[in-house]
Amino acid sequence: MQKFYITTPIYYVTDKPQLGNAYPTIAADVLARWHRMRGEDVFFLVGTDEHGEKVETAAKAAGKQPKEFVDDVVGVYKDVWKRLGISYDYFIRTSDQSHEAMVAELIDEMAQNGDIYKGFYEDWYCVPDETFWTELQLKDGKCPVCGRPVKKVKEECYYFKLSKYQGALLELYEKNPSFLSPKLRSKEIMNRVKAGLNDISITRSTIKWGVPFPLDKKHTVYVWVDALFNYVTALGGATGVHFTEFWPADVHLVGKEINWFHSVIWPALLMSSGIEPPRMVFAHGWWTAEGKKMSKSLGNSVDPVEVANRYSVDALRYFLLREMPLGDDGDYSEKSLVTRLNNELVAELGNLVNRTLTMAEKFQGDIKGKPELETSLDLEGINRCIDNMDTFGALDGIFSFIRAANKYVNDNAPWKLQGDELGNVLYNLLEASRVISILVYPFMPETGTRIAAQLGVGVGSLNDCKFKEFEGKIKKGDYLFKKAV
Ligand code: MSP
């Protein structure tokens, strides 16, 4: 059986999830669900990044011990993911004992390879991004990624010989061109690696809240090294049963601001600990508000649960994946969400299912005929989009089919037909609706399930996207979506 291992970034647990955190989690959920529907053995990993200075400081501000603080926030994360329909297979926490033990083992492995040495760090640090910067890299004295103030760090540390892996990394990018995805971001990474790599500090001696560094317990492991290893420790480490089954990861879905960590540092850490690199790192874009990245600290973030409560979880999931391709940036606006909800979910999908069921419920004759609408579906094309991480294109393909079905209603004017002719049109519309229940399910699980229930069938798999005899028992329920104002 084909396997599919997909991961999201693990989030800092300083606060409840924002729309920006919900986005990659929903996108990964859609992909995981699609691959499951294709009959693959899927492992979908999510989790939380719990160590380091940022969390330590947030816990202090909340007047709590770090562990007590993170336990509370993790509870909120799990509730929100449940509310948003996230079908993860495992939730990793970097404060898990088993994770900490495996990180120590992996670092021992790196040390045995001669890749770790002691030194002294004297440069800048961005606490919100947990990132080290040299003076030259700063932009107007601030963090070049997030623009927030940095602080001077002067401490003894241990270094990882990242420079040693320059050649191996370039070879990896060359041999596997989809490793750096999407294409538009691969050049930048390659050019930076070609320009030369500096060794990186991988410990902090002033931060207590972290994995004790196995070679010197006065230090803790730098939070990014601890965090990146989650993708392996979640599988039980390099000797785990799940590791044999699922590694290498098929996709690490990450935000573009953390692409460097995943596309450069992560494969080098793996090479150093004797583990094969993942197959793909896909860097997605940002939701912005008036051109600025949405984030809690800028005060322009949106609560995904509030949006879901106002418009439904499925409207939110649909909008996030329909408004822009996964690799692009886009401005978030509730107005655009409402427009898509009204024009696409209500007027196209909802209307199709509703009028089909209304007519079919009244019809007394046999629902059977020739599969005339089936050719309007390009399932192969949609599958290809999913394989290329093009969720936007996949939705386009699905909605082309929905539009074709609505056009079929208008062209055939079933209200003027009766008998076998009407039976034939209804057969096509019911089978199209059944297939649509499958196609929309990964994007909108509640809607897919409701359409299937109204048709009186179970939600099928992608193999069931062929027209056959209509076998359902119609139980028309409420409209699928409510028009918003
Ligand atoms: N803890 C690290 C990741 C470690 S992975 C081994 C981290 N955490 S975070 O809490 O800051 O979450 C960052 C991720 O959230 C980003 O990589 C991105 O995927 C997502 N987003 C946060 N804000 C976002 C937007 N405004 N728009 C889209 N995604 C954004 O970095």
Side-chain angles (χ1 to χ4, degrees):
M1 196 195 274
Q2 179 100 3
K3 67 92 184 169
F4 183 68
Y5 178 26
I6 183 163
T7 68
T8 65
I10 54 170
Y11 306 103
Y12 293 125
V13 281
T14 44
D15 208 333
K16 63 183 182 185
Q18 303 302 313
L19 186 103
N21 312 126
Y23 177 54
T25 313
I26 289 172
D29 184 66
V30 168
L31 293 161
R33 284 177 188 267
W34 191 279
H35 282 263
R36 281 190 204 114
M37 282 196 124
R38 208 144 76 178
E40 294 170 22
D41 196 4
V42 170
F43 195 84
F44 170 27
L45 177 69
V46 301
T48 39
D49 191 353
E50 304 186 9
H51 290 132
E53 186 163 357
K54 179 176 167 125
V55 173
E56 196 178 69
T57 313
K60 208 175 272 166
K64 292 184 183 172
Q65 286 303 313
K67 181 70 174 119
E68 184 195 355
F69 177 73
V70 292
D71 283 351
D72 288 349
V73 186
V74 166
V76 179
Y77 261 86
K78 288 187 173 170
D79 289 346
V80 172
W81 292 165
K82 194 164 173 209
R83 173 78 179 104
L84 300 182
I86 308 302
S87 63
Y88 60 81
D89 294 297
Y90 191 66
F91 192 113
I92 179 102
R93 299 185 53 181
T94 55
S95 67
D96 287 344
Q97 282 283 302
S98 54
H99 167 82
E100 295 190 6
M102 285 183 251
V103 167
E105 276 170 32
L106 290 158
I107 286 175
D108 275 333
E109 196 72 35
M110 291 162 61
Q112 274 165 36
N113 267 326
D115 288 347
I116 294 176
Y117 62 91
K118 198 170 181 174
F120 191 83
Y121 183 83
E122 183 171 358
D123 248 319
W124 300 93
Y125 196 76
C126 170
V127 179
D129 285 347
E130 298 279 16
T131 307
F132 294 100
W133 297 111
T134 63
E135 182 91 33
L136 273 177
Q137 288 173 313
L138 300 182
K139 217 166 135 195
D140 304 324
K142 302 222 168 96
C143 170
V145 169
C146 69
R148 286 172 286 202
V150 285
K151 68 177 208 181
K152 189 98 188 192
V153 168
K154 281 187 196 180
E155 59 190 41
E156 185 188 273
C157 72
Y158 285 80
Y159 278 95
F160 165 56
K161 285 187 189 164
L162 181 63
S163 57
K164 176 175 153 186
Y165 291 94
Q166 183 191 28
L169 287 169
L170 291 171
E171 196 183 315
L172 166 69
Y173 306 151
E174 206 156 291
K175 275 204 183 134
N176 177 6
S178 54
F179 177 85
L180 296 176
S181 288
K183 264 217 153 46
L184 71 113
R185 293 198 215 288
S186 64
K187 264 242 147 53
E188 186 211 330
I189 296 282
M190 271 194 283
N191 288 343
R192 278 179 66 188
V193 174
K194 275 183 197 151
L197 292 171
N198 293 324
D199 295 344
I200 56 165
S201 165
I202 56 159
T203 66
R204 296 292 310 269
S205 58
T206 50
I207 302 303
K208 294 282 156 282
W209 178 235
V211 178
F213 188 60
L215 313 177
D216 181 346
K217 297 282 162 59
K218 289 198 298 297
H219 294 248
T220 53
V221 176
Y222 170 41
V223 63
W224 261 102
V225 172
D226 167 5
L228 286 164
F229 274 126
N230 92 87
Y231 303 129
V232 164
T233 64
L235 300 178
T239 52
V241 180
H242 279 113
F243 183 87
T244 318
E245 196 180 344
F246 291 106
W247 193 260
D250 294 273
V251 184
H252 291 310
L253 183 60
V254 302
K256 62 178 183 177
E257 79 282 22
I258 56 172
N259 195 15
W260 179 259
F261 285 100
H262 285 84
S263 295
V264 180
I265 298 175
W266 177 224
L269 291 174
L270 286 168
M271 288 172 194
S272 173
S273 37
I275 298 174
E276 194 185 334
R279 298 204 168 120
M280 178 191 286
V281 174
F282 188 98
H284 67 78
W286 287 343
W287 286 102
T288 54
E290 286 157 14
K292 284 207 173 85
K293 181 184 179 219
M294 291 178 100
S295 80
K296 184 82 191 167
S297 65
L298 286 176
N300 61 358
S301 64
V302 167
D303 180 346
V305 173
E306 268 176 29
V307 180
N309 290 346
R310 222 168 307 142
Y311 303 106
S312 82
V313 172
D314 281 0
L316 170 69
R317 290 175 61 113
Y318 173 76
F319 174 74
L320 291 180
L321 294 171
R322 189 70 185 108
E323 186 69 359
M324 66 186 191
L326 215 46
D328 292 4
D329 291 345
D331 235 29
Y332 177 84
S333 99
E334 204 156 307
K335 200 163 152 241
S336 316
L337 187 153
V338 168
T339 305
R340 287 199 182 273
L341 167 60
N342 291 344
N343 296 353
E344 294 160 27
L345 296 180
V346 176
E348 293 185 336
L349 174 56
N351 185 32
L352 172 70
V353 173
N354 183 60
R355 56 185 178 166
T356 299
L357 291 168
T358 307
M359 289 186 287
E361 215 172 33
K362 283 196 214 128
F363 184 59
Q364 302 291 330
D366 279 346
I367 292 185
K368 59 177 197 213
K370 282 199 297 292
E372 295 161 345
L373 250 176
E374 197 176 18
T375 49
S376 304
L377 173 66
D378 178 13
L379 185 59
E380 228 175 86
I382 297 171
N383 259 316
R384 220 176 306 119
C385 287
I386 295 286
D387 285 333
N388 295 330
M389 302 289 289
D390 180 9
T391 43
F392 181 83
L395 274 177
D396 210 37
I398 295 167
F399 272 73
S400 293
F401 183 53
I402 293 170
R403 272 194 296 277
N406 273 322
K407 181 168 184 303
Y408 179 84
V409 179
N410 298 343
D411 290 351
N412 285 284
W415 45 90
K416 290 188 192 151
L417 303 177
Q418 48 188 328
D420 287 351
E421 275 186 332
L422 180 53
N424 177 57
V425 170
L426 290 177
Y427 159 75
N428 274 283
L429 292 174
L430 287 165
E431 276 298 278
S433 301
R434 183 183 61 76
V435 169
I436 288 164
S437 75
I438 300 170
L439 297 172
V440 300
Y441 177 82
F443 292 89
M444 299 181 276
E446 279 178 16
T447 304
T449 308
R450 281 179 65 201
I451 299 174
Q454 295 186 349
L455 293 168
V457 297
V459 179
S461 74
L462 290 181
N463 275 333
D464 302 312
C465 285
K466 294 186 249 344
F467 278 34
K468 47 184 191 180
E469 263 179 50
F470 179 71
E471 287 167 344
K473 239 183 150 30
I474 293 157
K475 282 177 278 184
K476 185 172 164 256
D478 293 339
Y479 282 99
L480 294 175
F481 300 98
K482 268 206 256 12
K483 199 170 167 155
V485 279

